[in-house]
Amino acid sequence: NTNDISIAGLSDPNNLLSQRIIYFDYDKSAIRPEFMVLINTHAKLLAKIPNLKMRLEGHADERGSREYNVALSEARSQSVKRIMGVQGAQSGQMRTIGYGEEVPIVRGHTQESWQQIRRFEIKYYYY
């Protein structure tokens, strides 16, 4: 079932739960509307399975100071955590980390590579 909110959904490529990367606009921590359903679906899984936990990992591109980018990526993680909380996920199930520009997913200094680097990743553990 593509809409099944379960652990099995995490490894089903047709299930929304298998998508665990969200992208941000430059210098923004606001969630883009097209990612709201994805975030809400992950939140529902946490709400359903109280012993499930996740790391919310925020990333920024290389523009701006290192300190600024760490703060921005942390703000991105907090944005996602807030929305998940509204959907019933418990605060203790979510740990936020702001990596700043330290862990780029691709190499490059173009708009295209920066767009891929400016991301947020959901990492599940304890399941």
Side-chain angles (χ1 to χ4, degrees), residues 26-71:
Y26 172 63
D27 204 25
K28 299 276 189 290
S29 61
I31 306 296
R32 294 185 350 206
E34 66 264 31
F35 292 113
M36 290 302 287
V37 172
L38 177 63
I39 292 168
N40 291 341
T41 304
H42 283 284
K44 287 174 188 164
L45 181 62
L46 283 185
K48 191 173 170 182
I49 306 173
N51 64 345
L52 188 60
K53 296 186 179 358
M54 68 168 58
R55 277 195 322 272
L56 305 174
E57 302 181 351
H59 299 270
D61 66 38
E62 64 193 349
R63 294 170 291 175
S65 72
R66 181 163 291 165
E67 295 74 21
Y68 181 83
N69 285 334
V70 167

Side-chain angles (χ1 to χ4, degrees), residues 13-120:
N14 297 314
N15 191 306
L16 201 53
L17 288 169
S18 70
Q19 296 176 37
R20 293 192 277 279
I21 297 183
I22 294 157
Y23 297 99
F24 286 87
D25 292 329
Y26 172 63
D27 204 25
K28 299 276 189 290
S29 61
I31 306 296
R32 294 185 350 206
E34 66 264 31
F35 292 113
M36 290 302 287
V37 172
L38 177 63
I39 292 168
N40 291 341
T41 304
H42 283 284
K44 287 174 188 164
L45 181 62
L46 283 185
K48 191 173 170 182
I49 306 173
N51 64 345
L52 188 60
K53 296 186 179 358
M54 68 168 58
R55 277 195 322 272
L56 305 174
E57 302 181 351
H59 299 270
D61 66 38
E62 64 193 349
R63 294 170 291 175
S65 72
R66 181 163 291 165
E67 295 74 21
Y68 181 83
N69 285 334
V70 167
L72 177 60
S73 58
E74 179 65 30
R76 288 173 173 165
S77 296
Q78 291 294 338
S79 292
V80 176
K81 183 176 182 177
R82 259 193 310 280
I83 290 166
M84 287 191 171
V86 170
Q87 293 296 320
Q90 298 303 307
S91 180
Q93 289 177 281
M94 301 173 284
R95 212 178 81 190
T96 61
I97 301 172
Y99 283 108
E101 63 199 72
E102 297 303 309
V103 193
I105 199 165
V106 293
R107 297 271 171 233
H109 310 285
T110 63
Q111 292 296 336
E112 291 73 28
S113 54
W114 288 331
Q115 174 58 68
Q116 289 180 63
I117 292 166
R118 267 193 320 270
R119 73 202 185 280
F120 170 84

